[in-house]
Amino acid sequence: MDVLALEAKTGGGGSETEKKSAPRPKPKPPKKAKRIVYFEVEIVDLKTKEKLLLLDKVEPTATVLDIKALFHKSYPKWYPARQSLRLDPKAKCLRDEEILQTLPVGTTASFYFSDLGPQVTWGTVFLTECAGPLLIYLMFYFRLPFIYAPKYDFTSSKHWVVHLACMCHSFHYIKRILETLFVHRISHGTMPLRNIFKNCGYYWCSAAWMAYYINHPLYTTPYYGEQQVNKGLYIFLFCQVGNFSIHVALRNLKAAGSKMKKIPYPTKNPFTWIFWLVSCPNYTYEVGTWIGFTVMTQCVPVAFFTIVAFIQMAVWAKGKHRSYLKEFRDYPTLRSSILPFIL
């Protein structure tokens, strides 16, 4: 037993000695810092081809917006929202979020600059577009002087549908104003100031045209009377609720300030179930709103406005639908752009 115990002790001591004498691993040499390849950015006037600015040592992770900010320092009158930069004179404008190193350029990049002119925020545009028709329609409704014959100044129509039409028209534009202030998350920051006159001219003149005839002292009520008015009212209200539901669903689709796009899907709200069939149901409900208003008032200017609005919204919807198909491979193939199974 003593011999075995002695061998065990000797063996244990030997292993401890081996452990102590084992060489320690050499520390790994520090990794060399990656070399940053800076870009040289040249900004050229699109029209005159004059070199406006040369930016040296631009970081590869710089965005187009960063380059616009650097350009703005040298040319204060051209703030970023007013600038349009592109890689080729005939190419599309680059998006602000595009990164320099992902663009098809070498370490020396040339950008073509064009001035978009004075800009105005989209929120201001929407508010101006909606406030105008609201006030203009009320001017005709209250029959202010110089609109109709003097004997009709500040008189009221004897037809109930005229008052109902005013309430519906006012409700529609008040709803749009409130949505602009509290619901919509506008992805595009600004638009050229000159476009506001074109946009407002269309909405304001259309409102004046339909208001003139609906509130005219000689206005003729719908052919089928109260039954037609009620049907038009039901369509109008149904589509207004649907339109609002879609706007709320689109707002909840992405967080504030986020530019990440997602596929919109129906929610628990039944008015959003149309998303199964249509890519832009907000336009579908908007067209339905004006169809209901046309049925309610039986007014030719309203019908004309509805047709023109449908054509314009169909163009917007088709563009949005193509964008969805291009960005998302798993986009639902059953959907149409604005009218289920038709368009």
Side-chain angles (χ1 to χ4, degrees), residues 3-22:
V3 176
L4 293 175
L6 181 61
E7 288 180 356
K9 287 181 180 180
T10 306
S15 61
E16 288 178 5
T17 307
E18 288 176 2
K19 287 181 182 180
K20 288 180 182 180
S21 61

Side-chain angles (χ1 to χ4, degrees), residues 28-279:
K28 294 181 180 179
K31 292 183 179 180
K32 293 182 180 181
K34 291 184 179 180
R35 183 183 175 186
I36 300 176
V37 179
Y38 290 97
F39 282 69
E40 187 178 85
V41 176
E42 180 185 49
I43 299 180
V44 181
D45 188 277
L46 180 65
K47 295 181 180 179
T48 64
K49 303 299 184 290
E50 176 189 356
K51 184 188 293 185
L52 298 176
L53 183 66
L54 180 65
L55 299 172
D56 193 18
K57 290 189 176 181
V58 180
E59 293 187 1
T61 56
T63 62
V64 173
L65 183 60
D66 295 332
I67 296 172
K68 288 182 177 181
L70 295 172
F71 184 69
H72 175 53
K73 290 181 179 179
S74 299
Y75 295 89
K77 67 175 181 178
W78 289 323
Y79 45 89
R82 189 169 176 167
Q83 301 173 33
S84 169
L85 296 179
R86 59 193 79 192
L87 296 176
D88 185 82
K90 296 181 180 179
K92 291 183 179 180
C93 298
L94 295 170
R95 300 190 307 272
D96 287 346
E97 60 270 17
E98 292 191 75
I99 301 173
L100 183 58
Q101 64 183 358
T102 62
L103 297 175
V105 295
T107 54
T108 301
S110 295
F111 289 86
Y112 291 89
F113 162 79
S114 61
D115 181 16
L116 298 175
Q119 300 289 299
V120 62
T121 62
W122 274 98
T124 303
V125 174
F126 290 150
L127 291 175
T128 309
E129 286 178 355
C130 298
L134 176 63
L135 297 176
I136 289 172
Y137 194 98
L138 292 175
M139 290 170 58
F140 286 88
Y141 174 74
F142 290 111
R143 294 177 180 173
L144 299 184
F146 309 107
I147 296 179
Y148 304 113
K151 64 178 181 179
Y152 296 115
D153 290 351
F154 299 109
T155 58
S156 180
S157 175
K158 62 181 179 180
H159 303 300
W160 164 244
V161 64
V162 173
H163 306 295
L164 181 63
C166 180
M167 287 187 284
C168 290
H169 188 275
S170 300
F171 173 80
H172 173 71
Y173 282 101
I174 290 173
K175 165 186 164 292
R176 289 186 60 176
I177 291 173
L178 294 176
E179 285 178 340
T180 301
L181 293 174
F182 304 109
V183 178
H184 292 317
R185 286 183 177 142
I186 303 168
S187 56
H188 300 287
T190 62
M191 70 173 290
L193 178 62
R194 61 181 178 271
N195 287 0
I196 196 172
F197 300 103
K198 177 182 68 177
N199 290 25
C200 291
Y202 165 71
Y203 284 105
W204 292 16
C205 292
S206 298
W209 189 26
M210 66 176 71
Y212 176 83
Y213 285 98
I214 295 174
N215 298 286
H216 198 283
L218 301 180
Y219 168 75
T220 304
T221 57
Y223 182 79
Y224 292 102
E226 186 177 349
Q227 184 179 6
Q228 180 177 337
V229 172
N230 290 338
K231 286 184 178 179
L233 176 63
Y234 297 151
I235 296 172
F236 178 89
L237 294 176
F238 178 86
C239 291
Q240 283 287 274
V241 176
N243 182 263
F244 175 75
S245 300
I246 297 300
H247 287 161
V248 172
L250 291 174
R251 172 189 169 82
N252 296 335
L253 194 62
K254 58 182 180 180
S258 173
K259 292 187 177 181
M260 186 177 65
K261 295 182 179 180
K262 298 179 182 178
I263 301 176
Y265 284 105
T267 65
K268 295 179 180 179
N269 185 345
F271 286 95
T272 65
W273 294 352
I274 192 175
F275 265 125
W276 292 119
L277 303 175
V278 172
S279 292

Side-chain angles (χ1 to χ4, degrees), residues 252-322:
N252 296 335
L253 194 62
K254 58 182 180 180
S258 173
K259 292 187 177 181
M260 186 177 65
K261 295 182 179 180
K262 298 179 182 178
I263 301 176
Y265 284 105
T267 65
K268 295 179 180 179
N269 185 345
F271 286 95
T272 65
W273 294 352
I274 192 175
F275 265 125
W276 292 119
L277 303 175
V278 172
S279 292
C280 302
N282 51 324
Y283 295 146
T284 308
Y285 282 124
E286 183 72 13
V287 172
T289 293
W290 288 108
I291 290 175
F293 197 69
T294 302
V295 173
M296 183 198 310
T297 58
Q298 194 174 292
C299 183
V300 172
V302 179
F304 182 82
F305 176 81
T306 303
I307 294 171
V308 174
F310 170 71
I311 294 172
Q312 179 61 75
M313 284 186 278
V315 173
W316 292 337
K318 290 179 71 175
K320 188 70 173 178
H321 183 69
R322 285 194 299 268

